Amino acid sequence: MFYYFESWLHRYQDSAIDLPQKVLISKYVSNKVWLSYNDPNSLIKRHDIKDCDGVANKISSVLNKLSQDATSKTTLANSI
């Protein structure tokens, strides 16, 4: 895994600014929760990364599912 990541950064050095993937969670006074992150597909376009669409789609799906779970009313009620 480290070799893959190292070769990725060697090939796409400017992508290091966006790695590792970060997530911002905000809760407003109204108790509405927002979870924000850069979609991997937009990172691929931003850094002109080739041949990684499949991986980006998988990561995007996981982040979407985690976002939905993290911001669900059931999860929030159990964490308070």
Side-chain angles (χ1 to χ4, degrees):
M1 181 69 175
F2 180 74
Y3 173 76
Y4 175 76
F5 183 70
E6 183 179 332
S7 61
W8 170 289
L9 288 179
H10 180 71
R11 188 170 174 195
Y12 303 107
Q13 293 177 10
D14 62 335
S15 69
I17 192 77
D18 290 313
L19 298 173
Q21 184 78 43
K22 297 164 224 36
V23 175
L24 172 66
I25 301 172
S26 314
K27 184 175 180 181
Y28 291 92
V29 178
S30 64
N31 283 335
K32 184 157 184 121
V33 175
W34 289 90
L35 192 142
S36 306
Y37 57 87
N38 286 324
D39 183 69
N41 290 302
S42 67
L43 297 177
I44 281 178
K45 290 177 187 171
R46 179 184 309 153
H47 299 292
D48 195 29
I49 296 170
K50 308 290 186 213
D51 302 325
C52 289
D53 293 336
V55 172
N57 288 335
K58 287 180 183 179
I59 294 170
S60 186
S61 294
V62 169
L63 287 170
N64 187 28
K65 176 69 173 135
L66 289 172
S67 300
Q68 290 175 0
D69 289 350
T71 58
S72 73
K73 291 182 181 180
T74 304
T75 302
L76 293 173
N78 290 335
S79 67
I80 296 177

